[in-house]
């Protein structure tokens, strides 16, 4: 019997990567989901990767690009992709943190 993970399983792994502040691994898993024929990332998937990037040192630009992607999907009619205040605050905090570490 082959195990085919669903979006819930993928999202649990994404949360684990976010807790470790590993945007790189979370982003790789999101790409895997996008390329999969069996699972489609949902708003929680994108938000979790955004949060992972926002916590990773130097990840502010990646977090901002995911926020822009979510906004684009929302404007295109996918109302589930509407970014919330947590997304915006995470990106703003990450941009501020990254600005402080630029030498």
């Amino acid at each position: 019997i082959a195990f085919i993970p669903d979006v819930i399983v993928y999202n649990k792994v994404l949360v684990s990567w976010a807790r470790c502040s590993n945007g790189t691994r979370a982003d790789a898993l999101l790409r895997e989901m996008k390329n999969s024929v069996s699972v489609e990332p949902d708003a929680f998937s994108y938000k979790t990767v955004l949060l992972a990037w926002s916590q990773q040192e130097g990840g502010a630009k990646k977090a901002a690009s995911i926020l822009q992607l979510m906004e684009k999907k929302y404007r295109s009619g996918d109302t589930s992709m509407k970014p919330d205040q947590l997304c915006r605050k995470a990106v703003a905090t990450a941009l501020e943190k990254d600005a402080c570490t630029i030498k």
Side-chain angles (χ1 to χ4, degrees):
I1 298 175
F3 174 73
I4 300 173
D6 61 8
V7 70
I8 295 169
V9 172
Y10 274 100
N11 283 346
K12 286 184 180 283
V13 177
L14 287 173
V15 167
S16 296
W17 289 128
R19 285 185 180 151
C20 297
S21 304
N22 196 327
T24 306
R25 297 293 298 263
D27 200 60
L29 190 58
L30 182 66
R31 279 194 310 276
E32 182 179 316
M33 291 173 76
K34 289 179 184 179
N35 294 330
S36 172
V37 294
S38 63
V39 66
E40 180 73 26
D42 60 12
F44 185 82
S45 308
Y46 284 95
K47 182 177 178 177
T48 304
V49 175
L50 182 154
L51 293 172
W53 276 120
S54 73
Q55 296 170 45
Q56 181 172 315
E57 186 175 331
K61 286 183 182 179
K62 289 282 197 171
S65 71
I66 292 175
L67 177 63
Q68 289 174 337
L69 177 63
M70 291 176 74
E71 289 172 338
K72 181 180 177 183
K73 286 178 174 282
Y74 174 70
R75 285 192 307 272
S76 296
D78 187 349
T79 57
S80 73
M81 287 292 176
K82 183 177 183 180
D84 60 15
Q85 284 302 106
L86 179 61
C87 293
R88 297 179 196 292
K89 185 177 178 182
V91 170
T93 302
L95 289 167
E96 181 180 9
K97 182 176 65 176
D98 280 3
C100 291
T101 59
I102 295 174
K103 295 176 182 156

